[in-house]
Amino acid sequence: MKVFLVAGARPNFMKIAPIYRASLKHPEVSCQIVHTGQHYDHEMSQAFFDDLEIPTPQYYLEAGSGTHAVQTAKIMVAFEKICESGKPDLVMVVGDVNSTLACSIVAKKLLIKVAHVEAGLRSFDLAMPEEINRMVTDAISDYFFVTEESGVTNLLREGKAQSSIHYVGHVMIDNLLHQIEKMKAEGSGSWIPAFAGMTKSGAGRPEGFKLEKKSYAFMTLHRPSNVDDRNTFMGIAEALNEIAQKMIIIFPVHPRTKKMMEQFQIEFSENIKMMPPLGFKESLFLWKDAAVVLTDSGGLQEETTALGIPCVTIRENTERPITVELGTNVLAGTTKEGILNAYRQCFAKAKSASIPPLWDGRAAERIWAKLTEI
Ligand code: UD1
């Protein structure tokens, strides 16, 4: 069975790493990695391949940036060519980025079976490009690998056959647990981040500072709905500046966010330590010992739940409700008051949190077991 395993953007890379690794235990499977090139900066892409032990992709499509239409179209054109020449039996897509959407459409039109890993998640917010990507991908996929119960419910409601839906747990948690084990074995020396990066003004190297475990916050922020609107971004920045009076906030800055900070002249306090995007190892090294994670990412909501770390999600909704129901996640909204309230609540919530079923590091094994059986 020849499988094209597709990844394009940063949040895909941690999902394909365990899938690829587990494929090696199945000699009947030839798993070939396709990197669409949606993310291309070293920090957004190659650094992740290195940290996550992903081999050089068989195919690199060089799609790059552009409007959603341009980026999706470029990926489709290039992916169609390699599907026609490479003739895979199955295309496996992960997550909800533009590469997920583009490659599932191309495969399906060439009558190639499509498996969607992390299927069925819904924010019910069509202003979010990822929601459209999730809905379209699920509308045409053949096999659905699901991370949480809400995914099963959503897919059944949308008319999918029960037999095509497989609750397997979460490959991103497979990766997280694997990396934590590696960190223990290697010692922390090789994981310590190089704080070469930005100061308040966006240039130079921040002053050295010592971080005690559980004394600081770790933050990521990049959603267009949070950073592309001036008033929303200002409100979020005010809340963060207030939290920064209580603890240092470590803030690796996504390229989109950096651009909008400059455009809107957003001012952050001295206690918010900014730096360029970090690799997976560096980032994990920092957030695993944070007192709290402040984020608008999808993946960190789940990874913090898996490690029991308080998480404040700076969004109006989440497509990952299990992290709020069972886990450590508090949904803050995007106003100053909402974020400060969630920050006050999150520490108590984390004390009674638990880990969702099958988030045990073996999801990728279950996926291959199911596919080879089919
Ligand atoms: C994409 C995903 C999002 C994911 C995020 C993680 C979609 C619709 N969105 O959003 O789900 O959470 O990645 O990072 O697929 N840029 C660089 N270097 C790069 C990549 C991008 O400078 O390597 C710039 C682009 O030129 C653009 C901005 O960053 O100005 C945004 O990149 P883009 O890939 O369009 O979307 P993300 O916001 O990263």
Side-chain angles (χ1 to χ4, degrees):
M1 175 169 57
K2 186 189 215 179
V3 179
F4 277 2
L5 176 59
V6 175
R10 192 171 59 172
N12 289 163
F13 303 139
M14 37 285 220
K15 294 169 195 161
I16 66 156
I19 298 177
Y20 179 78
R21 205 163 33 246
S23 79
L24 301 176
K25 293 189 187 139
H26 290 270
E28 70 279 30
V29 172
S30 158
C31 183
Q32 307 198 340
I33 295 174
V34 179
H35 185 338
T36 66
Q38 177 177 342
H39 282 173
Y40 44 86
D41 281 358
H42 180 83
E43 297 93 345
M44 302 292 287
S45 176
Q46 189 54 47
F48 281 74
F49 274 68
D50 297 344
D51 283 357
L52 302 174
E53 309 148 73
I54 308 172
T56 307
Q58 263 84 3
Y59 299 97
Y60 184 72
L61 305 184
E62 293 183 69
S65 296
T67 64
H68 282 264
V70 166
Q71 189 174 61
T72 307
K74 282 202 271 187
I75 299 168
M76 287 178 75
V77 171
F79 190 63
E80 187 178 54
K81 285 197 184 111
I82 62 160
C83 281
E84 280 173 337
S85 60
K87 299 197 184 333
D89 303 297
L90 177 79
V91 166
M92 192 182 287
V93 293
V94 299
D96 56 17
V97 302
N98 287 342
S99 303
T100 314
L101 169 80
C103 296
S104 55
I105 294 177
V106 166
K108 199 62 195 169
K109 289 201 169 182
L110 292 173
L111 306 181
I112 301 165
K113 298 277 187 203
V114 177
H116 185 202
V117 175
E118 203 188 72
L121 298 181
R122 297 289 179 271
S123 66
F124 304 102
D125 175 4
L126 283 169
M128 206 183 165
E130 293 81 0
E131 181 71 355
I132 299 169
N133 295 344
R134 288 188 279 261
M135 288 171 68
V136 176
T137 302
D138 284 341
I140 58 177
S141 290
D142 299 280
Y143 310 112
F144 304 94
F145 293 104
V146 179
T147 54
E148 63 166 272
E149 200 51 50
S150 73
V152 176
T153 311
N154 293 331
L155 291 167
L156 288 174
R157 198 187 41 246
E158 291 170 17
K160 300 298 168 199
Q162 178 93 55
S163 58
S164 61
I165 303 169
H166 311 287
Y167 184 143
V168 289
H170 204 337
V171 290
M172 202 176 52
I173 307 304
D174 294 8
N175 172 63
L176 177 68
L177 300 180
H178 173 79
Q179 296 292 333
I180 293 266
E181 281 309 308
K182 228 173 68 179
M183 190 184 293
K184 279 187 197 149
E186 284 175 4
S188 59
S190 61
W191 293 69
I192 294 174
F195 286 115
M198 289 185 271
T199 57
K200 202 163 164 239
S201 60
R205 181 183 279 271
E207 290 301 305
F209 50 90
K210 193 166 158 35
L211 294 173
E212 299 293 343
K213 284 186 180 182
K214 304 291 171 196
S215 70
Y216 61 92
F218 181 85
M219 175 166 84
T220 75
L221 194 71
H222 75 281
R223 283 228 168 267
S225 54
N226 282 343
V227 302
D228 288 4
D229 178 79
R230 181 174 224 275
N231 287 340
T232 309
F233 200 173
M234 296 283 246
I236 293 172
E238 280 177 31
L240 297 171
N241 282 335
E242 206 160 310
I243 293 171
Q245 289 172 12
K246 301 185 180 73
M247 56 173 79
I248 281 180
I249 301 179
I250 304 293
F251 181 22
V253 186
H254 186 282
R256 169 194 293 281
T257 310
K258 180 166 187 278
K259 193 169 90 191
M260 299 321 287
M261 272 172 59
E262 283 158 6
Q263 192 171 318
F264 299 148
Q265 299 182 328
I266 303 275
E267 286 283 323
F268 278 123
S269 110
E270 284 293 333
N271 258 357
I272 299 185
K273 307 292 184 187
M274 286 181 267
M275 59 197 71
L278 297 173
F280 183 86
K281 282 165 84 166
E282 294 182 320
S283 164
L284 173 60
F285 179 82
L286 286 169
W287 72 256
K288 76 175 187 352
D289 290 323
V292 53
V293 170
L294 313 163
T295 190
D296 62 2
S297 125
L300 265 171
Q301 295 174 52
E302 300 177 318
E303 292 180 311
T304 46
T305 274
L307 296 193
I309 295 172
C311 178
V312 170
T313 295
I314 306 174
R315 283 177 48 186
E316 299 294 344
N317 49 51
T318 178
E319 60 287 336
R320 299 156 210 268
I322 197 76
T323 59
V324 177
E325 286 155 22
L326 278 190
T328 57
N329 192 13
V330 180
L331 207 51
T334 56
T335 62
K336 181 180 175 188
E337 294 69 33
I339 296 166
L340 293 174
N341 276 337
Y343 173 78
R344 284 188 284 266
Q345 285 165 31
C346 70
F347 300 99
K349 177 156 203 263
K351 292 202 174 101
S352 59
S354 61
I355 296 172
L358 298 188
W359 287 20
D360 59 358
R362 302 187 52 202
E365 281 174 36
R366 291 187 194 101
I367 290 173
W368 288 117
K370 189 48 77 183
L371 282 173
T372 49
E373 179 193 313
I374 293 167

